[in-house]
Amino acid sequence: MKAVILCGGQGTRIRDASELLPKPMLPIGNRPIVWHIMKGYSVHGIDDFVLCLGYKGWLIKEFFLNYRSVMCDITVHLGQNRPPDFRERLEHEQWNVTLVDTGEQTQTGGRIAAVRSYLEGDEPFCLTYGDGVADLDINKLLEFHRSHGKIATVTAVRPPGRFGEIRMEDSVVREFNEKPQAAGGFINGGFFVFDGRRIWDYLGDDPATLLEKEPMQSLAADGQLVAYQHQGFWQPMDTLREYTLLNEMWDSGRAPWRSW
């Protein structure tokens, strides 16, 4: 089974941090956020990835082409006709990573259509964005998808609270909760599973197609979209504040998405 990661956006709302890097390469700790996302799939047995590249996609290619050098200690023998020695510190990931240039201006639906040749077939495939993490059990998500037999599954999450919540009685504060999870409706959490045979009729081949518009709306209208409710941790990285928050969680040793 493959996991597709949309890595082509420019991250305009986080421009202060992403001026030099594509958004999926912004680091949480000392690893790009796309690496964290891939580890989340890998611990559930999915090690085959298709990355849909766009804005500054060559930097993502360079990271994976030089993966061993990035992850290992190296002894370089200057002035000697000897290759460098790589000293492994951690067990290497056994990943297959296909890096596809899907166009700098291509929209989300168009990027998926552009990698159809890598995905089309009897197996379902996973899809997510390259800028959000969760403590999602991918195996349970896949079991749910297979149980209903529809074309698409979207993970529904409750948005994290943006502001502290105060409960008052006659102006006296009875509860103060710092940025609680919203208790209202669900939103798109960005972790999808699609039928590898039937999804293509909904996507078409127009690079300007937004997955979140006509394809998802048509799937819903046809009764082919089912939501898997995730009640646990979920956090996008849309703003500089959220980028800082994720790094603070990682640095403190309390990163809920870390399951490896």
Side-chain angles (χ1 to χ4, degrees):
M1 180 174 292
K2 292 182 172 68
V4 180
I5 306 179
L6 298 173
C7 296
Q10 295 188 24
T12 54
R13 287 184 291 174
I14 196 171
R15 177 59 66 200
D16 289 346
S18 64
E19 188 68 40
L20 300 177
L21 293 172
K23 194 176 179 186
M25 289 302 294
L26 290 178
I28 298 177
N30 60 353
R31 300 286 186 269
I33 187 171
V34 69
W35 180 90
H36 290 259
I37 295 167
M38 294 165 77
K39 288 290 283 187
Y41 280 106
S42 184
V43 295
H44 292 100
I46 297 177
D47 295 318
D48 205 342
F49 299 95
V50 178
L51 273 53
C52 300
L53 309 183
Y55 177 71
K56 295 189 176 181
W58 73 87
L59 293 174
I60 301 176
K61 288 183 178 180
E62 286 182 353
F63 173 76
F64 286 101
L65 283 170
N66 296 299
Y67 191 82
R68 193 179 183 198
S69 298
V70 172
M71 295 296 180
C72 294
D73 294 336
I74 307 173
T75 300
V76 180
H77 307 285
L78 299 178
Q80 305 172 51
N81 189 22
R82 293 174 56 189
D85 296 325
F86 293 92
R87 303 179 185 276
E88 317 288 347
R89 287 185 295 173
L90 300 171
E91 182 179 347
H92 271 309
E93 286 74 32
Q94 301 296 313
W95 296 347
N96 298 309
V97 185
T98 302
L99 302 148
V100 184
D101 184 357
T102 56
E104 190 163 322
Q105 302 301 322
T106 306
Q107 299 297 328
T108 49
R111 293 193 192 282
I112 305 167
V115 296
R116 177 174 179 173
S117 62
Y118 296 101
L119 304 169
E120 190 172 22
D122 292 336
E123 277 285 330
F125 64 91
C126 296
L127 173 87
T128 194
Y129 304 104
D131 62 356
V133 289
D135 61 351
L136 179 66
D137 188 325
I138 299 295
N139 286 330
K140 289 184 178 179
L141 172 63
L142 290 169
E143 289 173 8
F144 176 80
H145 175 79
R146 291 188 174 103
S147 72
H148 61 62
K150 305 295 185 182
I151 294 175
T153 298
V154 58
T155 298
V157 299
R158 296 190 188 278
R162 294 181 57 85
F163 305 100
E165 178 185 71
I166 297 174
R167 186 177 66 81
M168 297 180 294
E169 294 178 4
D170 297 326
S171 298
V172 177
V173 175
R174 299 301 183 187
E175 284 187 24
F176 185 94
N177 298 312
E178 180 61 12
K179 299 181 178 65
Q181 189 178 58
F186 286 89
I187 63 171
N188 168 21
F191 288 86
F192 302 89
V193 184
F194 292 131
D195 185 307
R197 298 163 299 168
R198 297 182 288 165
I199 187 61
W200 310 109
D201 289 341
Y202 289 88
L203 291 174
D205 55 9
D206 184 352
T209 298
L210 274 167
L211 171 67
E212 301 78 10
K213 291 291 184 68
E214 185 175 340
M216 299 302 288
Q217 292 167 356
S218 297
L219 284 163
D222 292 347
Q224 290 295 327
L225 178 63
V226 180
Y228 176 80
Q229 295 184 16
H230 175 59
Q231 302 284 356
F233 174 84
W234 171 82
Q235 179 62 58
M237 192 181 70
D238 289 329
T239 65
L240 185 59
R241 182 190 70 82
E242 291 169 338
Y243 170 63
T244 302
L245 172 65
L246 289 171
N247 272 283
E248 288 174 348
M249 289 180 176
W250 183 264
D251 293 341
S252 70
R254 293 181 286 106
W257 69 90
R258 180 170 187 170
S259 54
W260 58 89

